[in-house]
Amino acid sequence: MLEVSHLACSRGDHRLFSDLSFVLESGQIMQVQGENGSGKTSLLRTLCGFLSPESGKILWDGTDMRELAEDYFANLLYLGHHNAIKDELSGVENLRISAGLAGIALDDKQAIAALRRMGLKGRERLPTKVLSQGQRRRVALARLLLGEAKLWVLDEPLAALDVGAVELVQTLIAEHLARQGMVIFTTHQPLEIAGMEMRRLSLS
Amino acid sequence: MAINWFKYSAPSTFYGLAGKLIPWFALPAAVLFVIGLYIGFFVAPTDAVQGEAYRIIFIHVPASILSMFLYLIMAGYAALGLIFNTRLSSMMATAIAPTGALFAFISLWTGALWGKPMWGAWWVWDARLTSELILLFLYFGFISLHASIDDPRRADRAAALLAVVGSVNVPIIYFSVKWWNTLHQGSTIKFTGTSMHVAMQQAMFITLVACWLYAIAVALTRVRSIILERERHTKWVADLAEVKA
Amino acid sequence: MNTLSVWQLLVLVVRRDLLLAMRRRADVFTTLIFFVMVVSLFPLGVGSEMELLRKMAPGVLWVAALLASMLSLGRLFSADYVDGTLEQMMLAPQSLSILVLGKMIAHWMVSGLPLVLIAPVLGIQFDLSAPAQGVLVLGLLLGTPVLSMIGGIGAALTLGLRGGGVLLSLLVLPLCIPVLIFGTGAVYAISAGLNGAMVSNLALLAAMLMFSLVLTPWVSAQALRISME
């Protein structure tokens, strides 16, 4: 369970949000809404511990995330604006490394299977610099297929994706929620999960 | 008298307190400088070995001492700011840095002035001068790092970490430079060694105290402008008499 | 699925950075060529008198190694910072210090080790004796990792700043002075026949290496967290 209480965050002199509180339970999904510059990305980055909040607390199963540190990170999967993939490496190499950083040992076979599910059949061994923007995003999204991270923090997961890939991401999220996972995300495109109540958090 | 220190750790209250304190440091500093330099230049006797040139120590020695202590104090404030996340400590560290650099520079400059008549060269690769030069580099590093980061919070924290790393390194640097100096059998400047006349000791002590007071006064003045700059959007700054005028 | 131990993670990061360096070989060679070039400039600058060159050799080689490692330090974290990998590293379920240590080791293997290996060739240019050569290489072997590690702190602090490269050198060079002194001191000592001083210089370098191994990954990790905000 993720519990955020009285969170406040500023960038420079500018106050982004304050007194923000919410609770995210297992199997729930929440969309963070707001205009450009309203602090959506900052909120997600605060949840990942990159930014320290000005005030307020973030609790994971009742314990402060700062205390849990690595134990909290083990439960977290973050997908940011950047794909965190290397142009020089192939999809398989990239995926194996990002899985490794998340603490998961992955062999070639598993990596190829994950990439194929993301619709990259035949491109698994190509250096990612020859792939299109959308295909690179798919390589990054393949991380969603690995590991048992309970909380997914997705910043614009649908950016640069085509219709097929958007559907795939929706399926993955639905599966994750069915496994009692949690998702918190931002998007500028419509994202619907069939049969799930979508909670919304508005930053203004 | 019990003072509530936490109250004064808020920039808004400290701004006023610093304003009141500055004259109490600045005035004695000026008076003591005059007294100390008078004793140093007119009362203290001419040195048997070094002649009149030795009188530069009344500036050189306090400046050297201050430059070293100020680095440690700066690093101390920086560490406080880093650990307890107190903004005022970080501001103090930032405010002290230029004064420390200035003293390091004065120390080098006066050292060179002393070296010319004594050694026939403006610069001697003596252990103490070399360490002082490296110390000046460390100050430059702190100031430039702070200046090149736009976000004040990141600037404070990054520069603070550098200062702490620097202060851990300072003893190693001093030791290594001394070591280097003995290995290469370079010349060593000795200011002391011969017994000092009482008037010399007095003059040195008085100028040292004056330098301390000056450093505190300047640091407080600088921290006041830093507070104003950082807090320019707050209400209490807008309400200040000097801002309204 | 299997989870990775600390050591496996360390190996993974080192292997990854080495793999990337292999794919961008040009970067590795520029550092090496820079080192050779700077060292070769000195005789042109001060004249070809062998006695003088022999005396200058350790200092020249060490200063050039210092500058060469500064040159490559800018890349230590910046590529990972730009493409978002650094964020993923900070979310690793192991301590960030371990990942940072891995990156430092890889950086040394790519930019420090080649300098150590080529140093004897350059030593010949300066007519260094065989024992002096040996001590020089040993000193570089102990000292260049320290440069990579202290440099890592600077690289982390200047992450994403404009003019980061020059600033990085300004921050790191003063901190590297002891390494320079002990490294060159060892060679001077052996040339002067002072075996005891040679051993103590090398011992001090080894001590600095141990000290840096323990402290710098943690400090750099803190610096990275500060810079990522």
Side-chain angles (χ1 to χ4, degrees):
Chain A
M1 184 178 78
L2 180 74
E3 198 179 340
V4 170
S5 60
H6 308 292
L7 204 65
C9 188
S10 319
R11 297 302 276 160
D13 287 333
H14 183 61
R15 174 59 66 94
L16 288 171
F17 51 80
S18 58
D19 207 18
L20 185 78
S21 302
F22 64 84
V23 176
L24 197 65
E25 308 262 8
S26 294
Q28 286 187 330
I29 178 166
M30 184 159 83
Q31 178 177 5
V32 183
Q33 293 175 315
E35 296 160 14
N36 291 335
S38 59
K40 300 189 291 293
T41 295
S42 294
L43 172 61
L44 297 193
R45 291 174 59 83
T46 310
L47 291 180
C48 294
F50 301 142
L51 301 183
S52 30
E54 211 164 316
S55 61
K57 269 200 180 125
I58 300 168
L59 304 179
W60 177 255
D61 288 339
T63 318
D64 197 304
M65 64 165 272
R66 299 257 155 213
E67 276 169 47
L68 290 171
E70 282 92 28
D71 296 330
Y72 171 68
F73 298 148
N75 286 302
L76 188 73
L77 188 154
Y78 171 71
L79 188 81
H81 287 266
H82 301 294
N83 288 330
I85 59 173
K86 293 283 173 195
D87 285 350
E88 292 87 347
L89 303 183
S90 70
V92 173
E93 288 165 330
N94 266 308
L95 195 57
R96 286 190 62 182
I97 287 165
S98 37
L101 291 181
I104 307 155
L106 197 69
D107 59 30
D108 271 19
K109 240 164 69 201
Q110 291 165 312
I112 288 173
L115 290 168
R116 290 206 171 145
R117 175 132 196 239
M118 294 312 295
L120 292 165
K121 193 169 189 318
R123 295 186 176 76
E124 304 95 334
R125 303 270 184 197
L126 291 180
T128 46
K129 65 182 153 208
V130 304
L131 301 183
S132 74
Q133 198 64 31
Q135 286 171 325
R136 275 189 242 177
R137 192 67 174 164
R138 285 173 187 237
V139 175
L141 284 164
R143 285 199 286 123
L144 298 180
L145 295 165
L146 319 167
E148 284 115 28
K150 202 143 182 251
L151 174 64
W152 287 5
V153 177
L154 312 175
D155 200 354
E156 296 285 347
L158 305 182
L161 292 183
D162 58 22
V163 183
V166 169
E167 264 174 36
L168 185 58
V169 172
Q170 286 173 344
T171 316
L172 292 180
I173 291 178
E175 287 171 10
H176 182 60
L177 294 173
R179 285 192 304 264
Q180 291 302 299
M182 302 172 223
V183 181
I184 178 161
F185 72 103
T186 68
T187 183
H188 283 105
Q189 284 150 285
L191 192 156
E192 288 303 327
I193 309 295
M196 280 307 297
E197 183 212 357
M198 178 75 72
R199 296 178 52 199
R200 291 179 210 281
L201 178 74
S202 283
L203 300 177
S204 52
Chain B
M1 188 177 69
I3 301 175
N4 182 359
W5 291 105
F6 286 104
K7 186 184 158 207
Y8 288 107
S9 67
S12 50
T13 35
F14 189 75
Y15 178 83
L17 176 72
K20 281 188 212 115
L21 285 176
I22 288 167
W24 293 95
F25 290 104
L27 285 176
V31 173
L32 287 179
F33 259 126
V34 173
I35 297 173
L37 291 180
Y38 177 80
I39 298 176
F41 284 110
F42 299 105
V43 179
T46 308
D47 188 82
V49 189
Q50 307 181 8
E52 301 294 346
Y54 89 94
R55 292 184 197 273
I56 200 123
I57 62 165
F58 299 123
I59 299 171
H60 177 86
V61 172
S64 308
I65 294 175
L66 259 282
S67 65
M68 287 176 229
F69 269 104
L70 285 180
Y71 192 89
L72 293 180
I73 294 172
M74 180 182 89
Y77 271 119
L80 276 183
L82 209 54
I83 297 165
F84 298 110
N85 217 352
T86 43
R87 285 179 304 150
L88 189 61
S89 327
S90 309
M91 292 182 196
M92 278 305 286
T94 321
I96 290 170
T99 310
L102 177 73
F103 276 120
F105 180 74
I106 291 174
S107 159
L108 287 175
W109 188 266
T110 51
L113 285 179
W114 184 84
K116 185 66 181 169
M118 284 302 118
W119 293 94
W122 292 111
W123 182 264
V124 181
W125 286 97
D126 144 84
R128 267 186 251 173
L129 274 183
T130 311
S131 310
E132 196 69 47
L133 182 67
I134 299 169
L135 186 65
L136 183 63
F137 290 159
L138 290 178
Y139 274 118
F140 282 156
F142 180 90
I143 296 170
S144 341
L145 180 64
H146 200 283
S148 25
I149 303 176
D150 293 328
D151 177 38
R153 198 178 131 85
R154 182 185 161 188
D156 278 347
R157 290 160 61 82
L161 194 66
L162 181 72
V164 173
V165 171
S167 62
V168 172
N169 229 291
V170 159
I172 305 177
I173 294 176
Y174 272 47
F175 167 73
S176 69
V177 170
K178 258 188 118 162
W179 174 272
W180 160 82
N181 204 236
T182 48
L183 188 72
H184 292 255
Q185 282 149 13
S187 45
T188 303
I189 296 175
K190 281 206 167 66
F191 282 112
T192 53
T194 50
S195 60
M196 281 174 90
H197 193 271
V198 180
M200 293 183 195
Q201 289 177 359
Q202 281 173 347
M204 187 113 87
F205 179 74
I206 293 171
T207 46
L208 179 63
V209 173
C211 282
W212 269 112
L213 296 174
Y214 163 83
I216 295 170
V218 170
L220 288 178
T221 314
R222 207 174 279 120
V223 88
R224 264 165 66 94
S225 14
I226 294 172
I227 291 174
L228 275 193
E229 195 191 332
R230 295 275 182 90
E231 308 261 298
R232 62 188 179 278
H233 297 300
T234 58
K235 194 176 170 304
W236 74 265
V237 169
D239 289 342
L240 283 176
E242 55 262 46
V243 174
K244 274 183 180 162
Chain C
M1 275 183 222
N2 301 321
T3 51
L4 289 173
S5 70
V6 175
W7 288 110
Q8 285 171 312
L9 194 64
L10 185 70
V11 172
L12 176 101
V13 174
V14 175
R15 280 182 58 186
R16 183 196 84 117
D17 278 24
L18 291 181
L19 182 65
L20 281 170
M22 284 306 290
R23 301 269 160 97
R24 299 178 194 153
R25 255 161 297 196
D27 287 358
V28 181
F29 282 105
T30 40
T31 313
L32 193 60
I33 293 166
F34 175 83
F35 177 62
V36 174
M37 232 183 237
V38 169
V39 171
S40 311
L41 283 180
F42 274 87
L44 296 174
V46 300
S48 58
E49 196 194 318
M50 264 310 164
E51 189 55 35
L52 181 67
L53 289 181
R54 206 174 300 132
K55 227 177 154 187
M56 282 177 53
V60 168
L61 273 138
W62 264 99
V63 170
L66 206 59
L67 296 178
S69 69
M70 290 303 115
L71 204 65
S72 54
L73 273 173
R75 287 194 302 268
L76 182 54
F77 297 115
S78 62
D80 286 337
Y81 174 63
V82 169
D83 67 19
T85 313
L86 204 53
E87 287 173 345
Q88 299 300 334
M89 291 187 165
M90 294 175 74
L91 293 179
Q94 301 282 1
S95 146
L96 181 60
S97 311
I98 294 296
L99 300 169
V100 170
L101 178 64
K103 287 191 73 67
M104 286 168 167
I105 293 173
H107 177 266
W108 174 74
M109 289 169 85
V110 168
S111 68
L113 193 57
L115 308 189
V116 179
L117 296 177
I118 207 157
V121 181
L122 298 172
I124 291 172
Q125 284 191 322
F126 284 76
D127 194 31
L128 275 181
S129 67
Q133 290 269 23
V135 174
L136 176 71
V137 169
L138 195 56
L140 282 169
L141 202 58
L142 290 170
T144 44
V146 182
L147 301 184
S148 289
M149 286 190 282
I150 296 180
I153 300 175
L157 285 173
T158 56
L159 199 61
L161 298 182
R162 56 202 138 68
V166 184
L167 184 62
L168 172 66
S169 311
L170 196 68
L171 305 186
V172 172
L173 285 176
L175 301 178
C176 290
I177 288 170
V179 181
L180 174 75
I181 289 174
F182 299 139
T184 52
V187 186
Y188 283 122
I190 189 87
S191 307
L194 303 165
N195 284 339
M198 183 268 293
V199 172
S200 38
N201 269 297
L202 289 178
L204 284 165
L205 267 185
M208 286 207 66
L209 178 59
M210 290 298 134
F211 193 59
S212 311
L213 262 175
V214 175
L215 286 183
T216 56
W218 183 80
V219 175
S220 301
Q222 299 308 310
L224 281 178
R225 293 204 186 275
I226 290 171
S227 295
M228 287 295 283
E229 280 210 353

